[in-house]
Amino acid sequence: MTRRAAYFLIALLVLAVCFWIFFCSRGFIRNHGGDFCIVILIYAALKSVFCRMNPFLAGTGVFLFAAGIEFLQSGFIPAHFDSSSRLVAATVGSTFDWGDLLAYFTG
């Protein structure tokens, strides 16, 4: 199995876990476990496409991307989205939380 295929399979497995967290869990797991999993999903998907990318740079880029979205939540961005859409709220988020940054970092 190639590294590309291995990262792709990891991304699929983590995607399944993310769906389970999104639809079936509550509390701490729903709030921070999803954030932890999503950065792993993005990293694995990125490495499945760019398998020769430096792992440190890929991880740093994924963290900065996730942190950037989190910091956008502290401003006016969430107000411009339709709050009735559960998918948009789950994708972009609606509130800034320092705990999310910790979850992104540990992921």
Side-chain angles (χ1 to χ4, degrees):
M1 178 182 302
T2 65
R3 277 190 294 173
R4 182 172 298 209
Y7 277 115
F8 182 73
L9 289 175
I10 291 169
L12 288 178
L13 178 66
V14 174
L15 180 63
V17 171
C18 287
F19 276 122
W20 178 82
I21 289 171
F22 181 70
F23 289 111
C24 301
S25 66
R26 302 259 185 269
F28 180 81
I29 296 296
R30 171 71 170 88
N31 294 336
H32 299 293
D35 296 332
F36 176 80
C37 280
I38 204 68
V39 293
I40 295 171
L41 171 65
I42 294 170
Y43 178 83
L46 182 70
K47 289 290 284 182
S48 72
V49 175
F50 304 105
C51 60
R52 294 186 181 177
M53 181 181 280
N54 180 307
F56 178 78
L57 291 178
T60 302
V62 169
F63 173 75
L64 291 175
F65 173 74
I69 290 177
E70 189 68 27
F71 280 113
L72 286 176
Q73 292 172 8
S74 67
F76 62 91
I77 298 296
H80 292 290
F81 293 111
D82 182 14
S83 62
S84 65
S85 173
R86 189 173 177 194
L87 180 62
V88 170
T91 305
V92 178
S94 57
T95 58
F96 177 82
D97 184 7
W98 288 103
D100 290 347
L101 291 175
L102 180 62
Y104 298 144
F105 182 75
T106 57

